[in-house]
Amino acid sequence: MRISVLGLGYVGCVSAACLAGLGHEVIGVDVNQVKVDLVNDGRAPVVEERIGELIAEVVRTGALRATGDVREAVMGSEVSLVCVGTPSEPNGSLCTTYLERVAEQIGAAVAGRGGRHTVVFRSTMLPGTCLNLLVPILEKHAGGTAGTDFGVAVNPEFLREGTSVRDFFDPPKTVIGELDPASGDVVAALYEGLPGEVFRVPVPTAEAIKYADNAFHGLKIGFANELGAVCQALGVDSHQVMDVFLADRKLNISPAYLRPGFAFGGSCLPKDLRSLVHAAQRADVSVPILSHVLPSNSDHLQRAVELVERTGKRRVGLFGLSFKPGTDDLRESPLVELAERLFGKGYELRIYDPNVNLSRLLGANREYIETRLPHLAQLLAQSVGEVLDHAEVCVVGTRDPAVLSALPHGDDPVIVDLVHLPDADARRAEPGYAGLAW
Ligand code: NAD
């Protein structure tokens, strides 16, 4: 199939490369020329396992190319996959500006195109957004009726940054919200041959399923971290508690997101919880559990600040800055928040994150770092050794092998462990070790 992928960010570039890898002919579109140029050069605009090799390969074979022109892409394809961002508005509501703009552009291109085109929304959006907001925009600009003159479907994305290529080829599930069966058939054909169950549901149900996933992930992490903090205060090993809790086969609970560790972050969980709670409040639905997941997460982050304060040291080395290992994504990273709180308290900070260094070099994240985080950019070190030379206390927020193998034992520097290091049990006996949840 000939496919346009609108938005070459974390979701779009992985979807574009993987669909090209499945044998489709893909044109990626982005308003950011740096990303378009990187893809056409056969290089990935994001740091992710396997994405660099895959993009190099599919660009070399001609299965993937990129452009800045939505019209050109839509005219040359049967399907558009919309992967533009849906960040939080300042009041917590979902920002639909990019979706609206892209719906106008696709609608206008569909108007000038013969044959049926199907518009598939992969971006996360609240139930009702597609049918009440985007379909009217598409119909207005296309001059036709959705479900008859062109297809519309919602196909939420369940990839996890850090393992997104693997997740694409082995998805936990495929959810197709179809306006009409023909639209659903087009989406099903995109992923033909991939494993996992396919669920064909009404459009608003598909939109809501993504929120069920992300709200539950946030809730699980908050639960594990609160339990970890209480156990620690009471002198109990929370990891042993969770090992036994999760071993109960009758409960059949997935261990994912249930290991006490550091706060969650990223571009999805916080903003999706925020917009879900905002939507509930607007609908006059009381959601005390969901409303307290983010405050719980923020309290947990503060516990890490207090651990550093308790060491009484001033020169801090921070390992890890992106929101989790395996990605360069800094959006709403809890380690960025931690660095800012420490920086604001006057700690002398040096930070090492190999993925952030790499993406700064590639250029894709350079603008984000230089415009949003200039105060931290100047603290970035080029090597583990540079940070170790500086630090009286090392805050470990990553399990990057290069960091783990270089971490000294003893009490100089003090180790503040946010990730439950593989040798945490042994380190617990050392005077210079403080764990966030152990
Ligand atoms: P992103 O910000 O990394 O990428 C969005 C891209 O869209 C940017 O490169 C931007 O330049 C581009 N864009 C904006 N307007 C455009 C237009 N008119 N035409 C072409 N390109 C345009 O965002 P992301 O992290 O890839 O997330 C995209 C969506 O997928 C969001 O709704 C998000 O909630 C959802 N999602 C993200 C993840 C994840 O792990 N990042 C997982 C599942 C779902």
Side-chain angles (χ1 to χ4, degrees):
M1 222 180 286
R2 291 179 308 159
I3 306 166
S4 9
V5 174
L6 289 298
L8 292 172
Y10 289 86
V11 168
C13 89
V14 170
S15 300
C18 293
L19 286 164
L22 281 180
H24 298 291
E25 192 184 313
V26 183
I27 312 178
V29 190
D30 208 290
V31 288
N32 181 334
Q33 192 59 37
V34 176
K35 294 187 185 183
V36 171
D37 292 343
L38 278 168
V39 169
N40 283 332
D41 266 4
R43 291 191 294 161
V46 299
V47 176
E48 272 284 324
E49 198 182 71
R50 288 170 57 190
I51 191 69
E53 303 89 291
L54 185 57
I55 290 193
E57 171 65 14
V58 291
V59 169
R60 192 185 57 74
T61 61
L64 171 66
R65 68 183 178 85
T67 173
D69 187 343
V70 174
R71 187 178 173 79
E72 175 203 340
V74 173
M75 294 297 270
S77 58
E78 291 105 45
V79 194
S80 285
L81 239 60
V82 177
C83 303
V84 297
T86 49
S88 286
E89 293 285 15
N91 67 358
S93 64
L94 183 83
C95 168
T96 54
T97 310
Y98 305 110
L99 283 171
E100 291 171 51
R101 174 81 190 113
V102 97
E104 287 168 13
Q105 292 171 314
I106 296 173
V110 164
R113 188 186 181 283
R116 190 173 144 122
H117 189 84
T118 301
V119 187
V120 181
F121 293 99
R122 297 218 89 190
S123 303
T124 303
M125 51 201 189
L126 284 164
T129 309
C130 179
L131 297 186
N132 302 335
L133 178 70
L134 301 174
V135 163
I137 294 175
L138 284 168
E139 287 183 332
K140 178 176 162 204
H141 289 268
T145 306
T148 308
D149 301 309
F150 58 91
V152 170
V154 163
N155 169 223
E157 170 60 74
F158 298 101
L159 65 79
R160 294 160 303 170
E161 286 178 36
T163 54
S164 58
V165 173
R166 215 181 321 145
D167 293 343
F168 181 94
F169 290 109
D170 186 14
K173 58 190 173 247
T174 298
V175 174
I176 303 173
E178 54 190 21
L179 187 68
D180 58 299
S183 300
D185 290 346
V186 169
V187 184
L190 290 177
Y191 304 113
E192 215 169 79
L194 291 183
E197 200 167 341
V198 177
F199 298 90
R200 294 179 67 152
V201 295
V203 166
T205 307
E207 291 169 315
I209 288 167
K210 179 67 194 169
Y211 281 89
D213 264 59
N214 279 0
F216 193 51
H217 296 159
L219 187 69
K220 286 177 86 177
I221 298 169
F223 171 80
N225 286 342
E226 284 192 10
L227 195 78
V230 178
C231 284
Q232 186 166 3
L234 302 180
V236 176
D237 179 341
S238 64
H239 285 266
Q240 201 172 34
V241 171
M242 293 314 273
D243 283 345
V244 178
F245 172 66
L246 292 164
D248 184 337
R249 296 283 157 248
K250 292 211 166 110
L251 283 176
N252 198 21
I253 298 175
S254 154
Y257 304 102
L258 273 178
R259 298 289 181 182
F262 193 38
F264 65 79
S267 66
C268 291
L269 264 51
K271 66 115 174 150
D272 291 344
L273 272 156
R274 227 177 268 130
S275 65
L276 188 62
V277 170
H278 185 271
Q281 283 164 348
R282 282 196 57 181
D284 248 346
V285 179
S286 164
V287 286
I289 292 178
L290 293 176
S291 340
H292 285 88
V293 177
L294 289 177
S296 161
N297 198 46
S298 179
D299 284 3
H300 194 62
L301 208 145
Q302 185 56 25
R303 280 193 271 274
V305 177
E306 285 159 18
L307 272 186
V308 176
E309 284 176 336
R310 253 181 264 141
T311 65
K313 317 264 184 203
R314 302 301 300 170
R315 288 203 314 273
V316 177
L318 174 62
F319 289 111
L321 190 63
S322 61
F323 87 95
K324 67 171 173 177
T327 176
D328 60 330
D329 196 346
L330 291 159
R331 292 174 294 180
E332 297 213 40
S333 167
L335 291 169
V336 167
E337 174 78 27
L338 175 63
E340 287 178 335
R341 290 194 200 180
L342 295 172
F343 185 66
K345 286 172 179 284
Y347 285 91
E348 294 167 47
L349 203 56
R350 296 292 285 154
I351 304 166
Y352 177 71
D353 187 317
N355 292 325
V356 172
N357 285 345
L358 180 59
S359 91
R360 209 174 169 201
L361 209 65
L362 279 171
N365 239 352
R366 195 177 299 147
E367 193 195 333
Y368 185 94
I369 296 170
E370 274 151 28
T371 58
R372 310 279 283 270
L373 307 172
H375 50 301
L376 299 186
Q378 53 172 338
L379 308 174
L380 284 171
Q382 291 309 309
S383 68
V384 177
E386 213 180 302
V387 173
L388 287 176
D389 286 346
H390 161 84
E392 297 169 299
V393 47
C394 285
V395 180
V396 188
T398 175
R399 284 175 160 237
D400 185 278
V403 173
L404 295 192
S405 60
L407 280 181
H409 287 263
D411 60 358
D412 184 22
V414 171
I415 304 290
V416 171
D417 175 7
L418 306 181
V419 293
H420 193 68
L421 289 165
D423 56 356
D425 288 346
R427 283 183 182 272
R428 239 180 264 179
E430 294 173 8
Y433 175 79
L436 189 58
W438 43 296

